Amino acid sequence: MEPGGAFAFGPFRLDPAERALYRGGSLVPLPLKDIEVLLALVERRGRIVPKEEILAAVWPDVIVEEGNLARHVSSLRRALADGEDGERWIETHPKRGYRFVGAVAEVPAAPRRQEPGAPATGPEAGPAEGPGEGRPRRSRWPRGRPALVLGGLSLAAVAWLGSRVAWRGPRPAGPIASLAVLPLANLTGDAQQEYLADAVTEGLVANLGRIRALRVISRTSAMQYKGTQKTVPQIASELRVEGVVEGSVMRAGDRFRVTAQLIDARTDGHLWAETFECDAREVLDLQAAIARAIADRLRVEVRPEERSALAVAPPVQPEAWRAYARGRHFWNQRTSEGIAESIRHFERAVALDPGYARAHAGLSDAYALAAEYRVLPPATSFPRARAAALRALEIDPLLGEAHASLGAILQAEWDWAGAERAYRRALELNPGYASAHQWYGELLTLLGRHEEAIARAARARDLDPASRIANAVLGVTWYYAGRYGEALEQLRATLALDPQFAVAHEMLGRACDATALHGEALEAFRRAVQLSGRSPEYLAALARSLALGGDAPGARALLAELRQAARTRYVSPVEFAMVHAALGERDRAFEWLERAYQERSTWLPWLGVGPGLAELRGDPRFRDLMRRLGLGG
């Protein structure tokens, strides 16, 4: 073929230089490896190409399983079907390979289009800068056009819905085993669509987190760098990662363009960049394709089950995806109001697209936390959470997040063995899912396996170092293990991240009470009450601390406030039991504990670990309660 030429077959034109496939004049959105497989077959058209030859051409110096090649061929057939069977173009010869059978003509490539105002490229352009010369330390995408800056070389953005760009930089300075996906820039021109860029960011994190060979920082920690002026090396140092993914999102009608680039944070050198385009319904597949491309560039081991999880994703109704994105935004706030709002958005997502597995998993998570955050009583929330988790797994058995959701439900139902199996399966499928590590750690705490619990909680914190809930739970895990010094240190560090986090104040108060720092404990409990808008669990914690400190009148005043609150909202019986126990009213405490057992309160099992309700531990009724919970006595 002449330099700059292209291949034409049927309604298609394959441009080797651009690594792009067109139908008519429109770009066919395909991952880079799909294009390279197609190119290998077209260049060898008319003969059976052994699988080994294709693998060597597309993945030189990399060991890739044949199943991966079959997946790319399957994807190509769908793209080439054009209303007919994809076998029209690509034949399979079992145990041998594939053959491209269509008539192919070599034609001149279409002229390259250049965006108005973009830097000149080609022979007319001026000399390029060398690596690191004349460029900011952190790449930026100019608002209004998707120009991509790579190592000081301006790669002109092609016209909207134009060609696909691939750039290959130097090899990394040693293997990269840890990544952070920074918030993708919103280039839609509409600040109201910021959540779309956030949702794509979360999708990339979720997909990359499935790869066991990578440690991928969770979305919560990465999102703190939105709009930051910090350099990539600074961010990487704070997150303790070796590589960083940056990118941008554009939207034109029902089409999305996502540009991603991979940076070796140790050298601040660009390793790879690509631009992907798709229809809005294919945005989940786009996220998986980007994750596959990054894994290919890093040459990390991707296990067969991980490849299956990163296979072509089913289409999703665009508005359902947007509703899911809003639901996760509110769920991550970890407040009663946020949980209630997340349920509304997740419900809308599953109504719009009943086959959207991740939306069902999100709904399950929201209903599970609805009991913990006193939005709904357990008898209402957990059956709904279970149904949503099972529906998610029915749709996608390989969705690790759904297995974790089911684990949380089984834990709430006191099925300890079932919960552990579900968490283990979740982490097999998505080892980078910080919430699964966190929830599994909480289960291990309840089972008295404190060293394992601490390891899980620490892993969750390492995957999500800026997350206030991950940091608080690590402190809570130290507390229940009886290691109060570490608990105090971790909870104070959590409050340094967010002084307004009521959960951390309340747990700090418990750790202070356990170490006879009663003055600091009361201050922490009062702060939690104030920040939470006098939430019942914090009122009960303050009342208990007052009672243990000898202020019975103060405790009884708060107990009366709890009774009044129970007239209009759900208040767990555990809250009343804790206060009555501290006041020395054992019989009343056990009446409330029995009511909590009948309600299957999520907080009841926690009374069997740590120093909570120590005054009741010797009572046979308490040992019987723990036995009925399956936690011994």
Side-chain angles (χ1 to χ4, degrees), residues 251-270:
R251 180 184 175 193
D254 287 333
R255 300 286 295 177
F256 275 87
R257 166 183 282 182
V258 177
T259 296
Q261 60 177 326
L262 175 63
I263 302 169
D264 187 335
R266 297 163 298 187
T267 64
D268 202 16
H270 292 77

Side-chain angles (χ1 to χ4, degrees), residues 75 96 194 205 274 397 450 501 586 621:
S75 175
R96 298 180 64 189
E194 190 74 23
V205 170
E274 281 190 45
H450 295 296
F501 192 31
R586 287 194 168 202
R621 290 172 291 182

Side-chain angles (χ1 to χ4, degrees), residues 519-592:
E520 188 177 347
L522 286 174
E523 181 181 349
F525 287 132
R526 288 189 174 109
R527 184 67 175 141
V529 168
Q530 176 191 15
L531 290 170
S532 67
R534 306 191 74 77
S535 186
E537 63 267 37
Y538 303 131
L539 285 171
L542 175 57
R544 177 174 171 79
S545 186
L546 289 171
L548 292 175
D551 185 0
R556 292 190 186 283
L558 291 175
L559 189 60
E561 186 175 347
L562 280 175
R563 293 194 188 97
Q564 184 62 33
R567 296 176 183 271
T568 57
R569 62 181 300 185
Y570 176 71
V571 179
S572 172
V574 169
E575 263 86 77
F576 292 102
M578 289 174 58
V579 181
H580 282 294
L583 289 168
E585 299 168 353
R586 287 194 168 202
D587 290 343
R588 290 285 290 149
F590 277 109
E591 288 175 12
W592 283 106

Side-chain angles (χ1 to χ4, degrees), residues 392-440:
L393 289 172
E394 180 183 339
I395 297 168
D396 185 358
L398 296 179
L399 184 59
E401 292 90 329
H403 285 279
S405 301
L406 181 60
I409 304 310
L410 295 172
Q411 181 174 327
E413 294 175 346
W414 307 338
D415 180 357
W416 315 119
E420 183 162 13
R421 284 193 299 272
Y423 288 141
R424 285 185 174 275
R425 182 57 176 153
L427 291 170
E428 287 174 4
L429 294 168
N430 192 343
Y433 188 32
S435 292
H437 286 282
Q438 175 192 317
W439 299 340
Y440 187 17

Side-chain angles (χ1 to χ4, degrees), residues 76-432:
L76 282 171
R77 282 180 173 146
R78 282 194 297 273
L80 296 173
D82 196 28
E84 301 181 22
D85 187 351
E87 292 271 354
R88 170 189 174 191
W89 301 108
I90 302 174
E91 289 180 348
T92 298
H93 292 262
K95 299 183 180 181
R96 298 180 64 189
Y98 301 94
R99 177 166 61 182
F100 191 88
V101 294
V104 177
E106 297 184 4
V107 299
R112 303 288 192 271
R113 292 178 295 176
Q114 185 169 330
E115 183 180 3
T121 59
E124 304 299 323
E129 297 169 343
E133 297 174 6
R135 69 175 176 90
R137 298 294 291 169
R138 184 173 178 210
S139 303
R140 300 291 177 191
W141 286 268
R143 185 170 298 278
R145 62 186 177 119
L148 182 61
V149 182
L150 300 176
L153 300 175
S154 295
L155 177 62
V158 294
W160 182 240
L161 299 182
S163 67
R164 191 162 191 266
V165 179
W167 180 86
R168 299 182 184 278
R171 291 193 178 195
I176 287 179
S178 53
L179 277 179
V181 180
L182 299 185
L184 301 187
N186 170 25
L187 298 187
T188 65
D190 181 2
Q192 297 300 314
Q193 297 191 50
E194 190 74 23
Y195 71 93
L196 297 177
D198 292 349
V200 176
T201 304
E202 180 178 19
L204 288 180
V205 170
N207 280 294
L208 288 167
R210 290 168 161 163
I211 302 173
R212 190 173 299 276
L214 287 175
R215 179 175 70 89
V216 183
I217 297 300
S218 293
R219 170 191 180 278
T220 309
S221 291
M223 291 305 289
Q224 69 174 320
Y225 294 102
K226 177 176 285 192
T228 184
Q229 296 302 310
K230 291 182 178 180
T231 65
V232 164
Q234 285 176 320
I235 295 170
S237 176
E238 292 174 9
L239 294 177
R240 294 183 294 114
V241 295
E242 298 155 339
V244 166
V245 176
E246 289 188 307
S248 62
V249 176
M250 292 189 69
R251 180 184 175 193
D254 287 333
R255 300 286 295 177
F256 275 87
R257 166 183 282 182
V258 177
T259 296
Q261 60 177 326
L262 175 63
I263 302 169
D264 187 335
R266 297 163 298 187
T267 64
D268 202 16
H270 292 77
L271 302 176
W272 162 93
E274 281 190 45
T275 296
F276 297 77
E277 294 180 3
C278 73
D279 182 87
R281 292 181 59 83
E282 299 169 327
V283 69
L284 301 184
D285 192 24
L286 177 143
Q287 293 167 173
I290 297 173
R292 292 194 300 269
I294 292 171
D296 285 345
R297 181 63 188 90
L298 292 176
R299 300 185 177 183
V300 296
E301 177 189 4
V302 182
R303 301 182 180 190
E305 64 272 21
E306 295 165 358
R307 290 194 182 279
S308 297
L310 290 174
V312 178
V316 61
Q317 205 274 351
E319 191 56 39
W321 176 65
R322 289 189 280 270
Y324 168 80
R326 292 186 180 100
R328 277 297 179 198
H329 169 76
F330 287 107
W331 185 81
N332 281 317
Q333 293 178 3
R334 291 299 206 281
T335 64
S336 298
E337 295 77 15
I339 297 302
E341 188 68 11
S342 74
I343 289 174
R344 186 172 71 83
H345 289 293
F346 288 137
E347 290 277 18
R348 184 163 186 266
V350 299
L352 288 167
D353 192 340
Y356 187 9
R358 202 175 292 276
H360 287 280
L363 183 60
S364 177
D365 292 342
Y367 273 126
L369 287 188
E372 182 176 337
Y373 283 83
R374 282 69 172 180
V375 176
L376 293 169
T380 300
S381 62
F382 282 111
R384 297 178 184 178
R386 169 186 268 274
L390 291 175
R391 177 60 182 142
L393 289 172
E394 180 183 339
I395 297 168
D396 185 358
L398 296 179
L399 184 59
E401 292 90 329
H403 285 279
S405 301
L406 181 60
I409 304 310
L410 295 172
Q411 181 174 327
E413 294 175 346
W414 307 338
D415 180 357
W416 315 119
E420 183 162 13
R421 284 193 299 272
Y423 288 141
R424 285 185 174 275
R425 182 57 176 153
L427 291 170
E428 287 174 4
L429 294 168
N430 192 343

Side-chain angles (χ1 to χ4, degrees), residues 441-461:
E442 292 172 3
L443 171 66
L444 293 168
T445 291
L446 289 175
L447 297 177
R449 292 155 57 182
H450 295 296
E451 292 305 316
E452 293 177 73
I454 291 167
R456 289 291 175 183
R459 180 61 172 167
R461 190 275 315 273

